[in-house]
Amino acid sequence: MVKHLLILTILSMGFNARAQAQPTAHQWLLTGGINLRSNTTSDDGNQNSNAGVSISPAVGYFLTDHFAVGLGGGLGAGRAENTISDVYGNNPSKNTRTYSSYTLNVFGRYYARLTDHTAFTATLAPGFGRSRDKSEMEGSAYSYNNFEFKRSSLGVSLTPGFSWFPTSRVSLDVTAGNLGYFRSKGTNPNRPETTNSSWNASLSLLNLGVGASLFFGGGQ
């Protein structure tokens, strides 16, 4: 009888732990994601390829159940190639672009509970960033296409996502792009300094990001 009571107690504790697999007030959040981009197209002698990777670690604190604030950042790099030939497939020229970037931001993230183990998330992140974009043309007389462009920016982004909680301490996270507004200033040795503002919408499975989060503290 005692043995059966112990088994029922352990099962009940395990069930309750699983049933409460959602973030609560005063927990800490350690999270990070990776975004991979890769695509290749070919059309009438033109070949285009684009590949890149970015990572975005962050740490936060839950002020209330389901809402955290914190600090985050990001590092990114990529390479794009565009090869152009004449109508006979001759005299190809190749333009190679390499780019890199980093960002620093503060963020607020809300978890909208769907079930005990799933939630939609929305992350609002004002921040600062710098990027470098370098282009080199080979096999072409149009050397003016070569440039090195450096840009600094201020902006804010809204990133929707989805989280699955296998336990109360871990979530697996998926995002698919973001919405954002950015004001930037760029410098190019061959052109005057430029300043512009833009809205950005990159909600697409082509911008799929995956990550994981750890939750600790909070008395659980």
Side-chain angles (χ1 to χ4, degrees):
M1 182 65 177
V2 174
K3 180 179 179 181
H4 291 163
L5 286 175
L6 287 173
I7 292 174
L8 289 174
T9 300
I10 293 171
L11 289 175
S12 176
M13 291 174 62
F15 176 80
N16 289 334
R18 292 193 300 270
Q20 297 173 6
Q22 292 281 346
T24 58
H26 310 306
Q27 280 191 311
W28 287 90
L29 166 69
L30 181 62
T31 184
I34 182 169
N35 186 294
L36 302 173
R37 301 181 304 278
S38 179
N39 66 284
T40 302
T41 61
S42 179
D43 181 33
D44 294 333
N46 299 335
Q47 294 184 346
N48 301 281
S49 63
N50 190 342
V53 59
S54 62
I55 58 173
S56 53
V59 61
Y61 180 76
F62 282 88
L63 299 178
T64 66
D65 292 354
H66 309 295
F67 178 70
V69 296
L71 298 173
L75 294 172
R79 180 184 179 92
E81 293 184 352
N82 173 230
T83 301
I84 303 174
S85 304
D86 60 26
V87 293
Y88 302 105
N90 300 319
N91 304 315
S93 61
K94 182 170 73 171
N95 183 28
T96 302
R97 295 179 61 191
T98 56
Y99 48 91
S100 59
S101 65
Y102 74 84
T103 59
L104 297 171
N105 61 66
V106 295
F107 72 88
R109 176 178 294 178
Y110 182 74
Y111 289 77
R113 176 176 171 171
L114 296 175
T115 70
D116 289 334
H117 300 279
T118 59
F120 282 126
T121 63
T123 304
L124 186 67
F128 164 83
R130 293 187 66 89
S131 63
R132 173 180 174 271
D133 189 345
K134 186 175 182 180
S135 176
E136 294 181 331
M137 181 71 79
E138 301 176 15
S140 172
Y142 301 112
S143 60
Y144 62 80
N145 286 324
N146 297 344
F147 67 84
E148 183 174 3
F149 194 62
K150 297 180 179 179
R151 182 180 296 275
S152 59
S153 63
L154 292 171
V156 60
S157 64
L158 176 64
T159 304
F162 176 81
S163 294
W164 173 60
F165 297 82
T167 75
S168 61
R169 296 297 187 181
V170 177
S171 74
L172 303 180
D173 311 317
V174 177
T175 61
N178 58 46
L179 302 172
Y181 172 78
F182 302 93
R183 181 174 178 84
S184 61
K185 180 182 293 186
T187 58
N188 185 336
N190 301 322
R191 299 178 183 176
E193 183 177 89
T194 59
T195 301
N196 56 53
S197 301
S198 64
W199 289 93
N200 177 55
S202 60
L203 298 176
S204 168
L205 292 179
L206 295 177
N207 294 303
L208 188 67
V210 295
S213 299
L214 301 178
F215 305 87
F216 51 95
Q220 287 194 13

